[in-house]
Amino acid sequence: MRYVFCSDVQAGNEITCYDSLGKRDEVVTLTEAMEGDRWCRNVDASFPKESFVWSAISHPDAQYACTAIYVNGTLVTRDEDRSTYGYGSAQAM
């Protein structure tokens, strides 16, 4: 399974996701440059059995935030936020 996080702000993004060890909360720098002045980061996770999956990203200065969950290379859920006020956030489950 793969979580994907994207934002128009590269550093200081708060991400949350679950893996076999439980909930992960991190402040990260997104390292993959994408077109449209956006940055992304992939987080691979594995689970020993079927489990609840959820991901979120937020940044107080972002006007764009997106998170997606892929299982075996297939997109299963995605959320995107385009904010003209800042504080972009998105959640997928």
Side-chain angles (χ1 to χ4, degrees), residues 1 3 5 16-18 23-25 47 52-56 67 69 90-93:
M1 186 179 65
Y3 295 106
F5 302 95
T16 302
C17 60
Y18 285 86
K23 185 177 176 186
R24 291 168 60 173
D25 287 308
F47 297 92
F52 174 80
V53 294
W54 179 76
S55 63
T67 186
I69 300 173
Q91 300 179 52
M93 55 178 128

Side-chain angles (χ1 to χ4, degrees), residues 37-58:
D37 294 326
R38 296 193 178 134
W39 298 88
C40 293
R41 179 178 179 152
N42 299 325
V43 175
D44 290 323
S46 61
F47 297 92
K49 59 182 179 178
E50 289 187 29
S51 180
F52 174 80
V53 294
W54 179 76
S55 63
I57 183 171
S58 64

Side-chain angles (χ1 to χ4, degrees), residues 5-48:
F5 302 95
C6 299
S7 174
D8 62 341
V9 178
Q10 184 178 13
N13 289 278
E14 295 178 41
I15 65 170
T16 302
C17 60
Y18 285 86
D19 64 14
S20 61
L21 300 176
K23 185 177 176 186
R24 291 168 60 173
D25 287 308
E26 300 178 53
V27 175
V28 300
T29 296
L30 306 176
T31 55
E32 298 174 38
M34 307 300 279
E35 63 182 75
D37 294 326
R38 296 193 178 134
W39 298 88
C40 293
R41 179 178 179 152
N42 299 325
V43 175
D44 290 323
S46 61
F47 297 92

